[in-house]
Amino acid sequence: MEKPNKRILSGVQPSGDLHLGNYLGAIKNFVSLQHEYECFFCVVDLHAITVWQDPAMLAQKTREVTAAFIASGIDPDKNTLFVQSQVPQHSQLAWIFSCIARMGWLNRMTQFKDKAGKNSENVSVGLYSYPTLMAADILIYLATHVPVGEDQKQHLELTRDIAQKFNNDFKNDLFPIPEPLILGEAKRVMSLRDGTKKMSKSDPSDYSRIMLSDSKENIIQKIKKAKTDPLPLPENLEDAKKRPEAMNLLTIFAALSNTDAEKVILDYAGKDFSKFKNDLGDLASSKLSPISSEMSKLMNDKNFLDSIINSGKEKAISVADPVLKKVNEIIGFLSR
Ligand code: AQP
């Protein structure tokens, strides 16, 4: 089996409206990586159902994430865009990996602790074993690199452990040990209401996040209302780091304008937040509005989106199936 040396797999959940964190931490980076790597981008609907999803909304959000990929600049002809549940090899490998991963490894996952909170007896088993499915998503394509936001770093370390243990247990070298690509200025975009909390689809407050579907007016309004402290803008990076809300807005500004936070701090040092927020509102809406209007256009062309999803499925299966067959053979399963 030919082993790729620059292959990417990454996914986005159709679990709600995509936000600026998903865009800056993931999708924007995918757009630049497509020129350098062979890329597989998937809509991870199997991950989404680890918490309750309304069936009609799930179908709509699945198409919406696909539309967001394309509207942001991912070329569907050059890359493989597909839906996770349509490639059953992911779930089959995930079961095998749940027999490779150790309970102790999963018990250390901080995202499960955060998401389950005090309710851990009552959440789904899938929410707990989610990282073994993520490992299967990556390794079924023998992906060598995985672009993720900082929040997914621990899950990728688990993927590496699983790949290593499988290779050791079965004395082979099938799986690569994939490297994380944590790129861009905004590795962890924080809530606009609380600079210590990650911007997230599931935050109950709409004002905590800017959505890709927000209108220009909405974006400007949300940035105006974003929480800040009473001081003027920080004078240097050291100062900014002590002020989470200010640091978050500066980082967003830097990521949207393809520069770094230090440069933005230099431009706005000691100035008033109102001027900065006006500029950030204009910048964010000028970058996001074209994506949002392209997304609505694509959402009105269901046949086009479904044809992309369908050909993505065929391409994904043609790569994933030989890997699963090889895994089955290594383990000692009878051939199909
Ligand atoms: N706030 C963020 N900052 C930077 N990157 C982020 N990502 C998510 N939130 C931020 C990155 O976006 C990609 C897709 O994420 P996901 O949809 O698979 O799930 P998530 O990380 O669980 O995102 P949410 O918004 O927090 O969803 P819910 O609320 O449903 O759990 C990933 O690469 C992620 O790192």
Side-chain angles (χ1 to χ4, degrees), residues 10-27 29-30 42 44 47-48 51 53 65 111 115 130 134 146-153 186-191 197-203 209:
S10 201
V12 176
Q13 293 188 64
S15 52
D17 287 314
L18 290 178
H19 53 73
L20 191 63
N22 299 132
Y23 177 66
L24 293 177
I27 301 174
N29 299 325
F30 299 171
C42 63
V44 286
H47 286 287
V51 297
Q53 302 295 333
V65 175
Q111 191 182 79
K115 289 199 169 177
Y130 175 120
M134 179 168 155
V146 184
V148 283
E150 213 156 45
D151 58 321
Q152 291 295 334
K153 209 171 148 206
K187 296 172 180 64
R188 193 171 171 85
V189 178
M190 308 310 275
S191 156
K197 254 174 67 185
K198 188 181 92 137
M199 184 177 285
S200 153
K201 297 185 203 90
S202 50
D203 192 309
R209 61 185 165 256

Side-chain angles (χ1 to χ4, degrees), residues 157-173:
E157 274 156 19
L158 188 103
T159 300
R160 292 163 58 89
D161 290 341
I162 289 176
Q164 202 116 49
K165 185 165 176 0
F166 181 94
N167 289 351
N168 287 343
D169 286 355
F170 294 100
K171 303 199 177 15
N172 74 97
D173 64 352

